[in-house]
Tab-separated table of all heavy atoms in Angstrom:
chain	number	residue	atom	x	y	z
A	70	VAL	N	-92.161	-79.926	-54.005
A	70	VAL	CA	-90.728	-79.605	-53.993
A	70	VAL	C	-90.501	-78.160	-53.588
A	70	VAL	O	-89.593	-77.843	-52.806
A	70	VAL	CB	-90.115	-79.874	-55.384
A	70	VAL	CG1	-88.639	-79.463	-55.410
A	70	VAL	CG2	-90.274	-81.340	-55.769
A	71	LEU	N	-91.340	-77.283	-54.118
A	71	LEU	CA	-91.232	-75.849	-53.842
A	71	LEU	C	-92.560	-75.358	-53.282
A	71	LEU	O	-93.511	-75.119	-54.037
A	71	LEU	CB	-90.888	-75.092	-55.134
A	71	LEU	CG	-90.759	-73.567	-55.027
A	71	LEU	CD1	-89.603	-73.178	-54.105
A	71	LEU	CD2	-90.569	-72.953	-56.418
A	72	PRO	N	-92.672	-75.195	-51.974
A	72	PRO	CA	-93.936	-74.725	-51.379
A	72	PRO	C	-94.308	-73.341	-51.897
A	72	PRO	O	-93.435	-72.521	-52.212
A	72	PRO	CB	-93.617	-74.690	-49.880
A	72	PRO	CG	-92.461	-75.622	-49.707
A	72	PRO	CD	-91.652	-75.507	-50.961
A	73	GLU	N	-95.603	-73.081	-51.962
A	73	GLU	CA	-96.072	-71.793	-52.476
A	73	GLU	C	-95.478	-70.617	-51.715
A	73	GLU	O	-95.212	-69.561	-52.296
A	73	GLU	CB	-97.596	-71.739	-52.418
A	73	GLU	CG	-98.286	-72.662	-53.410
A	73	GLU	CD	-99.786	-72.458	-53.426
A	73	GLU	OE1	-100.236	-71.328	-53.112
A	73	GLU	OE2	-100.512	-73.409	-53.746
A	74	ALA	N	-95.270	-70.788	-50.422
A	74	ALA	CA	-94.735	-69.701	-49.607
A	74	ALA	C	-93.316	-69.316	-50.011
A	74	ALA	O	-92.845	-68.226	-49.675
A	74	ALA	CB	-94.760	-70.088	-48.136
A	75	GLU	N	-92.631	-70.195	-50.740
A	75	GLU	CA	-91.244	-69.941	-51.135
A	75	GLU	C	-91.111	-69.526	-52.590
A	75	GLU	O	-89.995	-69.382	-53.107
A	75	GLU	CB	-90.397	-71.187	-50.868
A	75	GLU	CG	-90.339	-71.568	-49.400
A	75	GLU	CD	-89.543	-72.842	-49.145
A	75	GLU	OE1	-88.804	-73.263	-50.066
A	75	GLU	OE2	-89.661	-73.408	-48.048
A	76	LEU	N	-92.235	-69.318	-53.274
A	76	LEU	CA	-92.187	-68.895	-54.671
A	76	LEU	C	-91.585	-67.496	-54.781
A	76	LEU	O	-91.803	-66.650	-53.915
A	76	LEU	CB	-93.591	-68.901	-55.266
A	76	LEU	CG	-94.195	-70.275	-55.548
A	76	LEU	CD1	-95.692	-70.157	-55.833
A	76	LEU	CD2	-93.489	-70.947	-56.722
A	77	PRO	N	-90.827	-67.223	-55.827
A	77	PRO	CA	-90.226	-65.894	-55.979
A	77	PRO	C	-91.286	-64.839	-56.272
A	77	PRO	O	-92.289	-65.112	-56.937
A	77	PRO	CB	-89.275	-66.078	-57.170
A	77	PRO	CG	-89.875	-67.199	-57.965
A	77	PRO	CD	-90.470	-68.137	-56.947
A	78	ALA	N	-91.048	-63.637	-55.796
A	78	ALA	CA	-91.986	-62.546	-56.046
A	78	ALA	C	-91.845	-62.002	-57.456
A	78	ALA	O	-92.803	-61.483	-58.025
A	78	ALA	CB	-91.759	-61.427	-55.027
A	79	SER	N	-90.656	-62.117	-58.032
A	79	SER	CA	-90.372	-61.588	-59.358
A	79	SER	C	-89.511	-62.571	-60.137
A	79	SER	O	-88.701	-63.317	-59.548
A	79	SER	CB	-89.634	-60.248	-59.249
A	79	SER	OG	-89.116	-59.839	-60.502
A	80	ILE	N	-89.652	-62.562	-61.447
A	80	ILE	CA	-88.781	-63.390	-62.281
A	80	ILE	C	-87.326	-62.955	-62.130
A	80	ILE	O	-86.413	-63.752	-62.317
A	80	ILE	CB	-89.223	-63.316	-63.761
A	80	ILE	CG1	-88.633	-64.493	-64.554
A	80	ILE	CG2	-88.869	-61.978	-64.388
A	80	ILE	CD1	-89.179	-64.609	-65.964
A	81	MET	N	-87.103	-61.694	-61.770
A	81	MET	CA	-85.738	-61.191	-61.584
A	81	MET	C	-85.042	-61.868	-60.414
A	81	MET	O	-83.810	-61.962	-60.383
A	81	MET	CB	-85.755	-59.673	-61.391
A	81	MET	CG	-86.492	-58.889	-62.471
A	81	MET	SD	-85.858	-59.160	-64.135
A	81	MET	CE	-84.278	-58.315	-64.042
A	82	ASP	N	-85.829	-62.365	-59.439
A	82	ASP	CA	-85.250	-63.021	-58.274
A	82	ASP	C	-84.520	-64.308	-58.628
A	82	ASP	O	-83.680	-64.791	-57.854
A	82	ASP	CB	-86.339	-63.350	-57.248
A	82	ASP	CG	-86.983	-62.106	-56.656
A	82	ASP	OD1	-86.378	-61.020	-56.755
A	82	ASP	OD2	-88.091	-62.229	-56.098
A	83	LEU	N	-84.833	-64.891	-59.786
A	83	LEU	CA	-84.227	-66.167	-60.167
A	83	LEU	C	-82.725	-66.054	-60.424
A	83	LEU	O	-82.045	-67.070	-60.541
A	83	LEU	CB	-84.922	-66.735	-61.404
A	83	LEU	CG	-86.413	-67.061	-61.228
A	83	LEU	CD1	-87.000	-67.565	-62.530
A	83	LEU	CD2	-86.618	-68.086	-60.115
A	84	ALA	N	-82.225	-64.832	-60.504
A	84	ALA	CA	-80.784	-64.620	-60.664
A	84	ALA	C	-80.060	-64.564	-59.323
A	84	ALA	O	-78.826	-64.526	-59.292
A	84	ALA	CB	-80.525	-63.329	-61.438
A	85	ASN	N	-80.801	-64.583	-58.215
A	85	ASN	CA	-80.182	-64.495	-56.897
A	85	ASN	C	-79.453	-65.791	-56.536
A	85	ASN	O	-79.852	-66.877	-56.982
A	85	ASN	CB	-81.233	-64.181	-55.835
A	85	ASN	CG	-81.873	-62.815	-56.033
A	85	ASN	OD1	-81.323	-61.950	-56.728
A	85	ASN	ND2	-83.033	-62.611	-55.435
A	86	PRO	N	-78.402	-65.700	-55.730
A	86	PRO	CA	-77.589	-66.886	-55.416
A	86	PRO	C	-78.368	-68.056	-54.825
A	86	PRO	O	-78.011	-69.214	-55.052
A	86	PRO	CB	-76.569	-66.342	-54.402
A	86	PRO	CG	-76.459	-64.887	-54.726
A	86	PRO	CD	-77.831	-64.461	-55.149
A	87	GLU	N	-79.435	-67.792	-54.087
A	87	GLU	CA	-80.168	-68.893	-53.449
A	87	GLU	C	-80.871	-69.797	-54.458
A	87	GLU	O	-81.327	-70.893	-54.099
A	87	GLU	CB	-81.187	-68.346	-52.444
A	87	GLU	CG	-82.278	-67.471	-53.026
A	87	GLU	CD	-81.946	-65.991	-52.944
A	87	GLU	OE1	-80.747	-65.650	-52.923
A	87	GLU	OE2	-82.898	-65.181	-52.894
A	88	TRP	N	-80.959	-69.377	-55.733
A	88	TRP	CA	-81.604	-70.203	-56.760
A	88	TRP	C	-80.595	-71.032	-57.565
A	88	TRP	O	-80.975	-71.686	-58.544
A	88	TRP	CB	-82.431	-69.326	-57.694
A	88	TRP	CG	-83.679	-68.832	-57.028
A	88	TRP	CD1	-83.877	-67.639	-56.417
A	88	TRP	CD2	-84.892	-69.564	-56.879
A	88	TRP	NE1	-85.136	-67.558	-55.883
A	88	TRP	CE2	-85.795	-68.734	-56.163
A	88	TRP	CE3	-85.328	-70.828	-57.273
A	88	TRP	CZ2	-87.087	-69.136	-55.839
A	88	TRP	CZ3	-86.607	-71.229	-56.957
A	88	TRP	CH2	-87.468	-70.397	-56.251
A	89	GLU	N	-79.362	-71.025	-57.151
A	89	GLU	CA	-78.348	-71.770	-57.913
A	89	GLU	C	-78.706	-73.254	-57.990
A	89	GLU	O	-78.977	-73.896	-56.973
A	89	GLU	CB	-76.969	-71.597	-57.293
A	89	GLU	CG	-75.864	-72.260	-58.112
A	89	GLU	CD	-74.466	-71.897	-57.620
A	89	GLU	OE1	-74.355	-71.089	-56.661
A	89	GLU	OE2	-73.500	-72.420	-58.198
A	90	GLY	N	-78.741	-73.795	-59.209
A	90	GLY	CA	-79.028	-75.196	-59.439
A	90	GLY	C	-80.475	-75.595	-59.276
A	90	GLY	O	-80.812	-76.784	-59.333
A	91	ARG	N	-81.371	-74.629	-59.130
A	91	ARG	CA	-82.766	-74.948	-58.798
A	91	ARG	C	-83.763	-74.639	-59.904
A	91	ARG	O	-84.947	-74.953	-59.753
A	91	ARG	CB	-83.172	-74.185	-57.532
A	91	ARG	CG	-82.344	-74.522	-56.299
A	91	ARG	CD	-82.679	-73.606	-55.140
A	91	ARG	NE	-84.085	-73.726	-54.741
A	91	ARG	CZ	-84.702	-72.852	-53.946
A	91	ARG	NH1	-84.049	-71.773	-53.504
A	91	ARG	NH2	-85.971	-73.041	-53.619
A	92	ILE	N	-83.328	-74.008	-60.987
A	92	ILE	CA	-84.275	-73.589	-62.011
A	92	ILE	C	-83.865	-74.124	-63.387
A	92	ILE	O	-82.728	-74.555	-63.593
A	92	ILE	CB	-84.415	-72.054	-62.068
A	92	ILE	CG1	-83.065	-71.409	-62.356
A	92	ILE	CG2	-85.017	-71.532	-60.790
A	92	ILE	CD1	-83.146	-69.909	-62.532
A	93	GLY	N	-84.814	-74.085	-64.324
A	93	GLY	CA	-84.560	-74.546	-65.679
A	93	GLY	C	-85.100	-73.560	-66.703
A	93	GLY	O	-86.129	-72.919	-66.476
A	94	ILE	N	-84.406	-73.435	-67.827
A	94	ILE	CA	-84.836	-72.563	-68.920
A	94	ILE	C	-84.497	-73.243	-70.243
A	94	ILE	O	-83.567	-74.039	-70.332
A	94	ILE	CB	-84.152	-71.175	-68.877
A	94	ILE	CG1	-82.623	-71.312	-68.905
A	94	ILE	CG2	-84.604	-70.397	-67.651
A	94	ILE	CD1	-81.882	-69.981	-68.965
A	95	ALA	N	-85.265	-72.915	-71.279
A	95	ALA	CA	-84.952	-73.364	-72.641
A	95	ALA	C	-84.272	-72.186	-73.340
A	95	ALA	O	-84.865	-71.491	-74.167
A	95	ALA	CB	-86.216	-73.788	-73.370
A	96	ALA	N	-83.008	-71.957	-73.002
A	96	ALA	CA	-82.303	-70.734	-73.398
A	96	ALA	C	-82.199	-70.571	-74.907
A	96	ALA	O	-82.199	-69.442	-75.414
A	96	ALA	CB	-80.914	-70.716	-72.780
A	97	GLY	N	-82.121	-71.656	-75.648
A	97	GLY	CA	-81.931	-71.562	-77.082
A	97	GLY	C	-83.197	-71.341	-77.875
A	97	GLY	O	-83.133	-71.137	-79.090
A	98	GLY	N	-84.349	-71.358	-77.229
A	98	GLY	CA	-85.621	-71.259	-77.943
A	98	GLY	C	-86.122	-69.835	-78.080
A	98	GLY	O	-85.797	-68.960	-77.268
A	99	PRO	N	-86.935	-69.583	-79.107
A	99	PRO	CA	-87.469	-68.229	-79.309
A	99	PRO	C	-88.383	-67.763	-78.183
A	99	PRO	O	-88.502	-66.558	-77.942
A	99	PRO	CB	-88.230	-68.344	-80.637
A	99	PRO	CG	-88.543	-69.801	-80.779
A	99	PRO	CD	-87.395	-70.519	-80.145
A	100	ASP	N	-89.027	-68.700	-77.471
A	100	ASP	CA	-89.909	-68.311	-76.377
A	100	ASP	C	-89.117	-67.627	-75.264
A	100	ASP	O	-89.439	-66.510	-74.839
A	100	ASP	CB	-90.636	-69.525	-75.806
A	100	ASP	CG	-91.656	-70.104	-76.768
A	100	ASP	OD1	-91.869	-69.507	-77.839
A	100	ASP	OD2	-92.230	-71.160	-76.452
A	101	PHE	N	-88.080	-68.289	-74.772
A	101	PHE	CA	-87.302	-67.708	-73.680
A	101	PHE	C	-86.626	-66.424	-74.125
A	101	PHE	O	-86.566	-65.442	-73.373
A	101	PHE	CB	-86.265	-68.693	-73.149
A	101	PHE	CG	-85.481	-68.144	-71.987
A	101	PHE	CD1	-86.048	-68.084	-70.727
A	101	PHE	CD2	-84.205	-67.640	-72.171
A	101	PHE	CE1	-85.352	-67.541	-69.654
A	101	PHE	CE2	-83.496	-67.094	-71.101
A	101	PHE	CZ	-84.070	-67.043	-69.841
A	102	GLN	N	-86.136	-66.387	-75.351
A	102	GLN	CA	-85.466	-65.183	-75.830
A	102	GLN	C	-86.438	-64.009	-75.945
A	102	GLN	O	-86.059	-62.854	-75.737
A	102	GLN	CB	-84.776	-65.481	-77.151
A	102	GLN	CG	-83.583	-66.417	-76.974
A	102	GLN	CD	-82.996	-66.916	-78.275
A	102	GLN	OE1	-83.086	-66.272	-79.302
A	102	GLN	NE2	-82.389	-68.096	-78.230
A	103	ALA	N	-87.696	-64.285	-76.258
A	103	ALA	CA	-88.696	-63.216	-76.262
A	103	ALA	C	-88.907	-62.679	-74.851
A	103	ALA	O	-89.083	-61.465	-74.652
A	103	ALA	CB	-90.004	-63.729	-76.844
A	104	ILE	N	-88.903	-63.576	-73.864
A	104	ILE	CA	-89.031	-63.148	-72.469
A	104	ILE	C	-87.846	-62.258	-72.080
A	104	ILE	O	-88.018	-61.223	-71.425
A	104	ILE	CB	-89.139	-64.377	-71.544
A	104	ILE	CG1	-90.430	-65.141	-71.840
A	104	ILE	CG2	-89.084	-63.959	-70.073
A	104	ILE	CD1	-90.493	-66.526	-71.219
A	105	VAL	N	-86.645	-62.646	-72.500
A	105	VAL	CA	-85.469	-61.820	-72.225
A	105	VAL	C	-85.626	-60.447	-72.881
A	105	VAL	O	-85.254	-59.423	-72.296
A	105	VAL	CB	-84.179	-62.508	-72.715
A	105	VAL	CG1	-82.968	-61.599	-72.498
A	105	VAL	CG2	-83.963	-63.837	-71.996
A	106	SER	N	-86.192	-60.417	-74.081
A	106	SER	CA	-86.369	-59.130	-74.759
A	106	SER	C	-87.310	-58.217	-73.982
A	106	SER	O	-87.148	-56.991	-73.984
A	106	SER	CB	-86.880	-59.346	-76.190
A	106	SER	OG	-88.237	-59.753	-76.209
A	107	ALA	N	-88.280	-58.803	-73.302
A	107	ALA	CA	-89.177	-58.004	-72.466
A	107	ALA	C	-88.435	-57.470	-71.243
A	107	ALA	O	-88.632	-56.318	-70.837
A	107	ALA	CB	-90.377	-58.833	-72.037
A	108	VAL	N	-87.599	-58.294	-70.633
A	108	VAL	CA	-86.778	-57.829	-69.507
A	108	VAL	C	-85.908	-56.661	-69.948
A	108	VAL	O	-85.786	-55.639	-69.251
A	108	VAL	CB	-85.919	-58.979	-68.944
A	108	VAL	CG1	-84.972	-58.461	-67.860
A	108	VAL	CG2	-86.796	-60.090	-68.384
A	109	LEU	N	-85.321	-56.781	-71.138
A	109	LEU	CA	-84.479	-55.714	-71.671
A	109	LEU	C	-85.271	-54.430	-71.870
A	109	LEU	O	-84.811	-53.335	-71.511
A	109	LEU	CB	-83.848	-56.174	-72.987
A	109	LEU	CG	-82.949	-55.173	-73.717
A	109	LEU	CD1	-81.754	-54.782	-72.862
A	109	LEU	CD2	-82.481	-55.766	-75.049
A	110	ALA	N	-86.466	-54.538	-72.422
A	110	ALA	CA	-87.287	-53.361	-72.668
A	110	ALA	C	-87.747	-52.702	-71.377
A	110	ALA	O	-87.863	-51.474	-71.297
A	110	ALA	CB	-88.502	-53.750	-73.518
A	111	LEU	N	-87.990	-53.518	-70.350
A	111	LEU	CA	-88.549	-53.005	-69.102
A	111	LEU	C	-87.490	-52.561	-68.101
A	111	LEU	O	-87.698	-51.600	-67.356
A	111	LEU	CB	-89.430	-54.079	-68.456
A	111	LEU	CG	-90.732	-54.401	-69.180
A	111	LEU	CD1	-91.292	-55.734	-68.695
A	111	LEU	CD2	-91.744	-53.274	-68.965
A	112	ARG	N	-86.357	-53.263	-68.057
A	112	ARG	CA	-85.372	-53.011	-67.001
A	112	ARG	C	-84.057	-52.422	-67.514
A	112	ARG	O	-83.224	-52.018	-66.702
A	112	ARG	CB	-85.100	-54.313	-66.232
A	112	ARG	CG	-86.326	-54.854	-65.488
A	112	ARG	CD	-86.829	-53.877	-64.441
A	112	ARG	NE	-88.049	-54.310	-63.795
A	112	ARG	CZ	-88.111	-55.068	-62.710
A	112	ARG	NH1	-86.989	-55.521	-62.156
A	112	ARG	NH2	-89.276	-55.399	-62.186
A	113	GLY	N	-83.850	-52.412	-68.805
A	113	GLY	CA	-82.628	-51.840	-69.347
A	113	GLY	C	-81.506	-52.842	-69.476
A	113	GLY	O	-81.569	-53.962	-68.963
A	114	GLU	N	-80.456	-52.415	-70.157
A	114	GLU	CA	-79.382	-53.342	-70.516
A	114	GLU	C	-78.567	-53.809	-69.315
A	114	GLU	O	-78.234	-54.991	-69.211
A	114	GLU	CB	-78.470	-52.684	-71.547
A	114	GLU	CG	-77.458	-53.650	-72.138
A	114	GLU	CD	-76.848	-53.136	-73.426
A	114	GLU	OE1	-77.610	-52.686	-74.311
A	114	GLU	OE2	-75.609	-53.184	-73.534
């Protein structure tokens, strides 16, 4: 479905318009929220 050549270079790219409707997250779970906390620590608010 998604060829390796089209994989995003960064997790931050998943917010770009071309990914609309193409990705999935478990937003309510502690795992995803921990990942968000790392983004916050690394990239700022």
Side-chain angles (χ1 to χ4, degrees):
V70 177
L71 179 63
E73 290 187 28
E75 298 178 15
L76 287 167
S79 169
I80 198 172
M81 307 302 289
D82 295 341
L83 298 178
N85 296 341
E87 62 265 27
W88 287 97
E89 185 171 358
R91 299 173 61 194
I92 59 176
I94 57 176
D100 291 355
F101 182 77
Q102 291 171 27
I104 295 167
V105 177
S106 73
V108 175
L109 179 61
L111 291 163
R112 296 299 175 89
E114 189 163 312

